[in-house]
Amino acid sequence: MSGSDELVALYDLGGTAVGAATRSRVRAEGLWHAAGVVLVRSGDGNSVYVHLRTPTKDVYPSTWDCWAGGVVAAGETPEECARRELAEELGVHGVELRPLFTHVYDEGTIRCHNFAFEARWDGPFVHQPSEVVEGRWLTLDELRSWLDDPSSAFVPDGRLGALEWFRRENAR
């Protein structure tokens, strides 16, 4: 099955799984779906791993992101998706995922519930060549500077999710 024919879970506006459709239909019709996304922090919590998406990605190619993740497949939970994507994109296996929050992204034809998790991992990383060009650690201050700069080539929903993460972390 090609990537565009992959069955992904459909969600309603409230964030409940309600069916399935092909990825191509979800993209073409702007259907509500979900993603499992993981913020990878260093063991000491002082840095976040960011990665550059390949130019062949169907959404937001050649942009930076601090969330490893992807679309929830039909029959998969957001946490299962997050684990799968973390392993596929960055080669990270067997880590604890701490649930963070769910943030909604509704822009144009992308309408998604992003189920966010956090993992602590100091490496190594093994990038999936079809998805990740390169990666690096940023301190929390460096990441915040990238996010606050509207000219930075950062994934829009990832930017919003990371800003929400900073807001919540500072509220503690």
Short mmCIF file of all heavy atoms in Angstrom, two decimals, residues 91-137:
data_model
loop_
_atom_site.label_atom_id
_atom_site.label_comp_id
_atom_site.label_asym_id
_atom_site.label_seq_id
_atom_site.Cartn_x
_atom_site.Cartn_y
_atom_site.Cartn_z
N GLY A 91 14.99 6.44 15.42
CA GLY A 91 15.64 5.22 15.89
C GLY A 91 15.65 5.07 17.40
O GLY A 91 16.50 4.38 17.95
N VAL A 92 14.68 5.69 18.07
CA VAL A 92 14.61 5.64 19.53
C VAL A 92 13.58 4.58 19.94
O VAL A 92 12.42 4.66 19.55
CB VAL A 92 14.23 7.02 20.12
CG1 VAL A 92 14.08 6.94 21.63
CG2 VAL A 92 15.26 8.07 19.72
N HIS A 93 14.05 3.62 20.74
CA HIS A 93 13.19 2.50 21.18
C HIS A 93 13.24 2.37 22.69
O HIS A 93 14.25 2.68 23.32
CB HIS A 93 13.70 1.18 20.59
CG HIS A 93 13.73 1.14 19.11
ND1 HIS A 93 12.68 0.70 18.35
CD2 HIS A 93 14.70 1.49 18.23
CE1 HIS A 93 13.01 0.78 17.07
NE2 HIS A 93 14.23 1.26 16.97
N GLY A 94 12.15 1.87 23.26
CA GLY A 94 12.14 1.47 24.66
C GLY A 94 12.19 2.58 25.69
O GLY A 94 12.59 2.34 26.82
N VAL A 95 11.78 3.78 25.32
CA VAL A 95 11.79 4.88 26.29
C VAL A 95 10.39 5.08 26.86
O VAL A 95 9.39 4.72 26.24
CB VAL A 95 12.28 6.21 25.65
CG1 VAL A 95 13.72 6.10 25.20
CG2 VAL A 95 11.39 6.64 24.50
N GLU A 96 10.34 5.66 28.04
CA GLU A 96 9.05 6.01 28.64
C GLU A 96 8.50 7.25 27.93
O GLU A 96 9.24 8.21 27.69
CB GLU A 96 9.24 6.32 30.12
CG GLU A 96 7.95 6.72 30.81
CD GLU A 96 8.16 7.11 32.26
OE1 GLU A 96 9.21 6.77 32.84
OE2 GLU A 96 7.25 7.76 32.81
N LEU A 97 7.23 7.21 27.58
CA LEU A 97 6.56 8.38 27.00
C LEU A 97 5.67 8.98 28.08
O LEU A 97 4.79 8.32 28.61
CB LEU A 97 5.71 8.00 25.79
CG LEU A 97 6.43 7.51 24.55
CD1 LEU A 97 5.44 7.30 23.42
CD2 LEU A 97 7.52 8.47 24.13
N ARG A 98 5.91 10.25 28.38
CA ARG A 98 5.08 10.96 29.36
C ARG A 98 4.06 11.78 28.59
O ARG A 98 4.42 12.65 27.79
CB ARG A 98 5.96 11.87 30.21
CG ARG A 98 5.17 12.61 31.30
CD ARG A 98 6.09 13.34 32.25
NE ARG A 98 6.75 14.49 31.66
CZ ARG A 98 6.27 15.73 31.66
NH1 ARG A 98 5.11 15.98 32.21
NH2 ARG A 98 6.96 16.70 31.12
N PRO A 99 2.75 11.52 28.80
CA PRO A 99 1.73 12.32 28.12
C PRO A 99 1.84 13.78 28.55
O PRO A 99 2.02 14.08 29.73
CB PRO A 99 0.41 11.71 28.59
CG PRO A 99 0.76 10.37 29.13
CD PRO A 99 2.16 10.48 29.65
N LEU A 100 1.72 14.68 27.60
CA LEU A 100 1.79 16.12 27.88
C LEU A 100 0.43 16.78 27.77
O LEU A 100 -0.13 17.24 28.75
CB LEU A 100 2.77 16.80 26.93
CG LEU A 100 4.24 16.40 27.05
CD1 LEU A 100 5.07 17.06 25.95
CD2 LEU A 100 4.78 16.77 28.42
N PHE A 101 -0.11 16.85 26.55
CA PHE A 101 -1.37 17.52 26.28
C PHE A 101 -1.76 17.21 24.85
O PHE A 101 -0.99 16.60 24.10
CB PHE A 101 -1.25 19.05 26.47
CG PHE A 101 -0.11 19.67 25.71
CD1 PHE A 101 -0.24 20.05 24.38
CD2 PHE A 101 1.13 19.86 26.33
CE1 PHE A 101 0.81 20.61 23.68
CE2 PHE A 101 2.19 20.43 25.64
CZ PHE A 101 2.02 20.80 24.31
N THR A 102 -2.95 17.63 24.47
CA THR A 102 -3.38 17.54 23.08
C THR A 102 -3.62 18.95 22.59
O THR A 102 -4.30 19.73 23.26
CB THR A 102 -4.68 16.71 22.96
OG1 THR A 102 -4.45 15.42 23.51
CG2 THR A 102 -5.12 16.58 21.51
N HIS A 103 -3.04 19.27 21.45
CA HIS A 103 -3.33 20.59 20.88
C HIS A 103 -3.90 20.41 19.48
O HIS A 103 -3.56 19.49 18.76
CB HIS A 103 -2.11 21.52 20.91
CG HIS A 103 -1.02 21.16 19.97
ND1 HIS A 103 -0.89 21.73 18.73
CD2 HIS A 103 0.02 20.32 20.10
CE1 HIS A 103 0.17 21.24 18.12
NE2 HIS A 103 0.74 20.38 18.93
N VAL A 104 -4.82 21.29 19.17
CA VAL A 104 -5.53 21.22 17.90
C VAL A 104 -4.89 22.18 16.91
O VAL A 104 -4.59 23.33 17.24
CB VAL A 104 -7.02 21.57 18.10
CG1 VAL A 104 -7.75 21.67 16.77
CG2 VAL A 104 -7.68 20.55 19.01
N TYR A 105 -4.67 21.68 15.70
CA TYR A 105 -4.17 22.51 14.61
C TYR A 105 -5.21 22.47 13.50
O TYR A 105 -5.55 21.40 13.00
CB TYR A 105 -2.81 22.01 14.12
CG TYR A 105 -2.19 22.94 13.11
CD1 TYR A 105 -1.59 24.12 13.51
CD2 TYR A 105 -2.21 22.65 11.75
CE1 TYR A 105 -1.02 24.99 12.60
CE2 TYR A 105 -1.64 23.51 10.84
CZ TYR A 105 -1.05 24.68 11.26
OH TYR A 105 -0.48 25.54 10.35
N ASP A 106 -5.73 23.63 13.13
CA ASP A 106 -6.77 23.72 12.11
C ASP A 106 -6.41 24.87 11.19
O ASP A 106 -6.77 26.03 11.43
CB ASP A 106 -8.13 23.95 12.79
CG ASP A 106 -9.30 23.96 11.80
OD1 ASP A 106 -9.07 23.73 10.59
OD2 ASP A 106 -10.43 24.19 12.25
N GLU A 107 -5.68 24.56 10.15
CA GLU A 107 -5.19 25.58 9.21
C GLU A 107 -5.29 25.04 7.80
O GLU A 107 -4.63 24.06 7.45
CB GLU A 107 -3.74 25.92 9.56
CG GLU A 107 -3.20 27.14 8.85
CD GLU A 107 -3.86 28.44 9.31
OE1 GLU A 107 -4.14 28.59 10.50
OE2 GLU A 107 -4.10 29.29 8.43
N GLY A 108 -6.12 25.68 6.98
CA GLY A 108 -6.28 25.24 5.60
C GLY A 108 -6.88 23.84 5.56
O GLY A 108 -7.92 23.59 6.14
N THR A 109 -6.17 22.93 4.90
CA THR A 109 -6.67 21.55 4.80
C THR A 109 -6.06 20.63 5.85
O THR A 109 -6.28 19.43 5.81
CB THR A 109 -6.39 20.97 3.40
OG1 THR A 109 -4.97 20.96 3.19
CG2 THR A 109 -7.08 21.76 2.31
N ILE A 110 -5.31 21.19 6.78
CA ILE A 110 -4.73 20.38 7.85
C ILE A 110 -5.52 20.62 9.13
O ILE A 110 -5.48 21.71 9.70
CB ILE A 110 -3.23 20.67 8.04
CG1 ILE A 110 -2.49 20.39 6.74
CG2 ILE A 110 -2.67 19.85 9.20
CD1 ILE A 110 -1.04 20.72 6.75
N ARG A 111 -6.25 19.59 9.52
CA ARG A 111 -7.11 19.66 10.71
C ARG A 111 -6.79 18.46 11.57
O ARG A 111 -7.22 17.35 11.28
CB ARG A 111 -8.56 19.66 10.26
CG ARG A 111 -8.84 20.78 9.25
CD ARG A 111 -10.20 20.69 8.67
NE ARG A 111 -11.10 21.35 9.61
CZ ARG A 111 -12.41 21.20 9.60
NH1 ARG A 111 -12.99 20.41 8.74
NH2 ARG A 111 -13.15 21.85 10.48
N CYS A 112 -5.99 18.71 12.62
CA CYS A 112 -5.39 17.60 13.34
C CYS A 112 -5.38 17.81 14.85
O CYS A 112 -5.11 18.92 15.33
CB CYS A 112 -3.95 17.42 12.84
SG CYS A 112 -3.11 15.97 13.48
N HIS A 113 -5.63 16.73 15.57
CA HIS A 113 -5.45 16.68 17.02
C HIS A 113 -4.06 16.10 17.25
O HIS A 113 -3.80 14.95 16.89
CB HIS A 113 -6.50 15.78 17.68
CG HIS A 113 -7.89 16.25 17.47
ND1 HIS A 113 -8.47 17.20 18.28
CD2 HIS A 113 -8.82 15.92 16.55
CE1 HIS A 113 -9.71 17.42 17.87
NE2 HIS A 113 -9.94 16.66 16.82
N ASN A 114 -3.16 16.90 17.81
CA ASN A 114 -1.80 16.44 18.08
C ASN A 114 -1.70 15.98 19.53
O ASN A 114 -1.74 16.80 20.45
CB ASN A 114 -0.79 17.57 17.81
CG ASN A 114 -0.66 17.86 16.34
OD1 ASN A 114 -0.05 17.10 15.61
ND2 ASN A 114 -1.24 18.95 15.89
N PHE A 115 -1.58 14.68 19.71
CA PHE A 115 -1.42 14.09 21.05
C PHE A 115 0.06 14.11 21.37
O PHE A 115 0.85 13.37 20.77
CB PHE A 115 -1.98 12.66 21.07
CG PHE A 115 -3.48 12.61 20.94
CD1 PHE A 115 -4.09 12.66 19.70
CD2 PHE A 115 -4.28 12.52 22.07
CE1 PHE A 115 -5.47 12.61 19.57
CE2 PHE A 115 -5.66 12.46 21.96
CZ PHE A 115 -6.27 12.51 20.71
N ALA A 116 0.45 14.99 22.29
CA ALA A 116 1.86 15.25 22.57
C ALA A 116 2.37 14.45 23.76
O ALA A 116 1.69 14.33 24.79
CB ALA A 116 2.07 16.74 22.81
N PHE A 117 3.60 13.94 23.60
CA PHE A 117 4.29 13.18 24.63
C PHE A 117 5.71 13.72 24.75
O PHE A 117 6.21 14.39 23.84
CB PHE A 117 4.36 11.68 24.24
CG PHE A 117 3.03 11.04 24.08
CD1 PHE A 117 2.35 11.08 22.87
CD2 PHE A 117 2.43 10.38 25.14
CE1 PHE A 117 1.11 10.48 22.71
CE2 PHE A 117 1.19 9.78 25.00
CZ PHE A 117 0.53 9.83 23.78
N GLU A 118 6.35 13.37 25.86
CA GLU A 118 7.76 13.73 26.05
C GLU A 118 8.54 12.47 26.37
O GLU A 118 8.03 11.58 27.06
CB GLU A 118 7.91 14.72 27.20
CG GLU A 118 9.35 15.10 27.47
CD GLU A 118 9.49 16.03 28.66
OE1 GLU A 118 8.84 17.10 28.65
OE2 GLU A 118 10.24 15.69 29.59
N ALA A 119 9.77 12.40 25.86
CA ALA A 119 10.69 11.30 26.18
C ALA A 119 12.03 11.90 26.54
O ALA A 119 12.40 12.98 26.03
CB ALA A 119 10.84 10.36 24.99
N ARG A 120 12.76 11.23 27.41
CA ARG A 120 14.14 11.62 27.74
C ARG A 120 15.06 10.60 27.08
O ARG A 120 14.88 9.39 27.23
CB ARG A 120 14.35 11.64 29.26
CG ARG A 120 13.48 12.64 30.00
CD ARG A 120 13.93 14.08 29.74
NE ARG A 120 13.10 15.04 30.43
CZ ARG A 120 13.49 15.73 31.49
NH1 ARG A 120 14.71 15.57 31.99
NH2 ARG A 120 12.67 16.59 32.06
N TRP A 121 16.06 11.12 26.36
CA TRP A 121 16.97 10.24 25.61
C TRP A 121 18.21 11.05 25.26
O TRP A 121 18.11 12.16 24.74
CB TRP A 121 16.27 9.77 24.35
CG TRP A 121 17.05 8.88 23.43
CD1 TRP A 121 17.67 9.24 22.27
CD2 TRP A 121 17.25 7.48 23.55
NE1 TRP A 121 18.24 8.16 21.67
CE2 TRP A 121 18.00 7.05 22.44
CE3 TRP A 121 16.86 6.53 24.50
CZ2 TRP A 121 18.37 5.72 22.25
CZ3 TRP A 121 17.23 5.21 24.30
CH2 TRP A 121 17.97 4.82 23.19
N ASP A 122 19.37 10.48 25.51
CA ASP A 122 20.63 11.17 25.18
C ASP A 122 21.27 10.66 23.90
O ASP A 122 22.34 11.11 23.52
CB ASP A 122 21.62 11.03 26.35
CG ASP A 122 21.21 11.88 27.53
OD1 ASP A 122 20.80 13.04 27.33
OD2 ASP A 122 21.27 11.39 28.67
N GLY A 123 20.62 9.74 23.22
CA GLY A 123 21.14 9.22 21.96
C GLY A 123 21.59 7.78 22.15
O GLY A 123 21.47 7.24 23.24
N PRO A 124 22.02 7.20 21.07
CA PRO A 124 22.21 7.79 19.75
C PRO A 124 20.89 7.89 18.97
O PRO A 124 19.89 7.30 19.36
CB PRO A 124 23.15 6.79 19.06
CG PRO A 124 22.77 5.47 19.68
CD PRO A 124 22.43 5.79 21.12
N PHE A 125 20.95 8.63 17.88
CA PHE A 125 19.81 8.77 16.98
C PHE A 125 20.17 8.12 15.65
O PHE A 125 21.31 8.22 15.19
CB PHE A 125 19.47 10.25 16.74
CG PHE A 125 18.96 10.92 17.98
CD1 PHE A 125 19.80 11.63 18.80
CD2 PHE A 125 17.62 10.81 18.34
CE1 PHE A 125 19.34 12.25 19.96
CE2 PHE A 125 17.14 11.41 19.50
CZ PHE A 125 18.01 12.13 20.30
N VAL A 126 19.19 7.47 15.04
CA VAL A 126 19.34 6.90 13.70
C VAL A 126 18.21 7.48 12.87
O VAL A 126 17.05 7.13 13.05
CB VAL A 126 19.27 5.36 13.73
CG1 VAL A 126 19.39 4.80 12.32
CG2 VAL A 126 20.33 4.78 14.66
N HIS A 127 18.56 8.42 11.98
CA HIS A 127 17.53 9.10 11.17
C HIS A 127 17.03 8.22 10.05
O HIS A 127 17.81 7.54 9.39
CB HIS A 127 18.11 10.39 10.57
CG HIS A 127 18.55 11.37 11.60
ND1 HIS A 127 19.63 12.19 11.42
CD2 HIS A 127 18.08 11.65 12.84
CE1 HIS A 127 19.79 12.95 12.48
NE2 HIS A 127 18.87 12.64 13.36
N GLN A 128 15.73 8.28 9.82
CA GLN A 128 15.13 7.61 8.67
C GLN A 128 15.39 8.50 7.45
O GLN A 128 14.87 9.61 7.37
CB GLN A 128 13.64 7.41 8.91
CG GLN A 128 12.94 6.67 7.80
CD GLN A 128 11.46 6.47 8.11
OE1 GLN A 128 10.83 7.29 8.75
NE2 GLN A 128 10.93 5.36 7.65
N PRO A 129 16.20 8.04 6.49
CA PRO A 129 16.60 8.90 5.37
C PRO A 129 15.44 9.48 4.55
O PRO A 129 15.56 10.57 4.00
CB PRO A 129 17.47 7.99 4.50
CG PRO A 129 17.94 6.92 5.42
CD PRO A 129 16.85 6.73 6.43
N SER A 130 14.32 8.78 4.49
CA SER A 130 13.19 9.29 3.70
C SER A 130 12.43 10.40 4.42
O SER A 130 11.60 11.07 3.82
CB SER A 130 12.22 8.15 3.36
OG SER A 130 11.67 7.60 4.54
N GLU A 131 12.73 10.61 5.73
CA GLU A 131 12.00 11.61 6.49
C GLU A 131 12.86 12.68 7.13
O GLU A 131 12.40 13.81 7.33
CB GLU A 131 11.17 10.92 7.59
CG GLU A 131 10.13 9.99 7.02
CD GLU A 131 8.95 9.81 7.93
OE1 GLU A 131 8.63 10.73 8.68
OE2 GLU A 131 8.35 8.73 7.86
N VAL A 132 14.10 12.34 7.50
CA VAL A 132 14.94 13.25 8.26
C VAL A 132 16.28 13.46 7.56
O VAL A 132 16.98 12.50 7.26
CB VAL A 132 15.18 12.72 9.70
CG1 VAL A 132 16.11 13.64 10.48
CG2 VAL A 132 13.86 12.55 10.43
N VAL A 133 16.63 14.74 7.32
CA VAL A 133 17.90 15.08 6.68
C VAL A 133 19.02 15.14 7.71
O VAL A 133 20.11 14.60 7.50
CB VAL A 133 17.78 16.44 5.95
CG1 VAL A 133 19.13 16.89 5.40
CG2 VAL A 133 16.74 16.38 4.85
N GLU A 134 18.75 15.80 8.83
CA GLU A 134 19.75 15.95 9.88
C GLU A 134 19.05 16.32 11.17
O GLU A 134 17.87 16.66 11.17
CB GLU A 134 20.79 17.02 9.53
CG GLU A 134 20.18 18.43 9.44
CD GLU A 134 21.20 19.51 9.17
OE1 GLU A 134 21.92 19.89 10.12
OE2 GLU A 134 21.26 19.97 8.02
N GLY A 135 19.80 16.27 12.26
CA GLY A 135 19.25 16.66 13.55
C GLY A 135 20.32 17.23 14.44
O GLY A 135 21.52 17.06 14.18
N ARG A 136 19.88 17.91 15.50
CA ARG A 136 20.83 18.50 16.45
C ARG A 136 20.10 18.83 17.75
O ARG A 136 18.89 18.95 17.79
CB ARG A 136 21.48 19.74 15.88
CG ARG A 136 20.51 20.91 15.66
CD ARG A 136 21.21 22.13 15.15
NE ARG A 136 21.61 21.92 13.77
CZ ARG A 136 21.49 22.82 12.81
NH1 ARG A 136 20.99 24.00 13.08
NH2 ARG A 136 21.87 22.56 11.59
N TRP A 137 20.90 19.00 18.78
CA TRP A 137 20.39 19.44 20.07
C TRP A 137 20.34 20.95 20.12
O TRP A 137 21.27 21.62 19.64
CB TRP A 137 21.29 18.96 21.21
CG TRP A 137 21.23 17.49 21.46
CD1 TRP A 137 22.18 16.56 21.13
CD2 TRP A 137 20.18 16.76 22.10
NE1 TRP A 137 21.79 15.32 21.52
CE2 TRP A 137 20.56 15.41 22.13
CE3 TRP A 137 18.96 17.13 22.65
CZ2 TRP A 137 19.76 14.41 22.69
CZ3 TRP A 137 18.16 16.14 23.21
CH2 TRP A 137 18.56 14.81 23.23
#
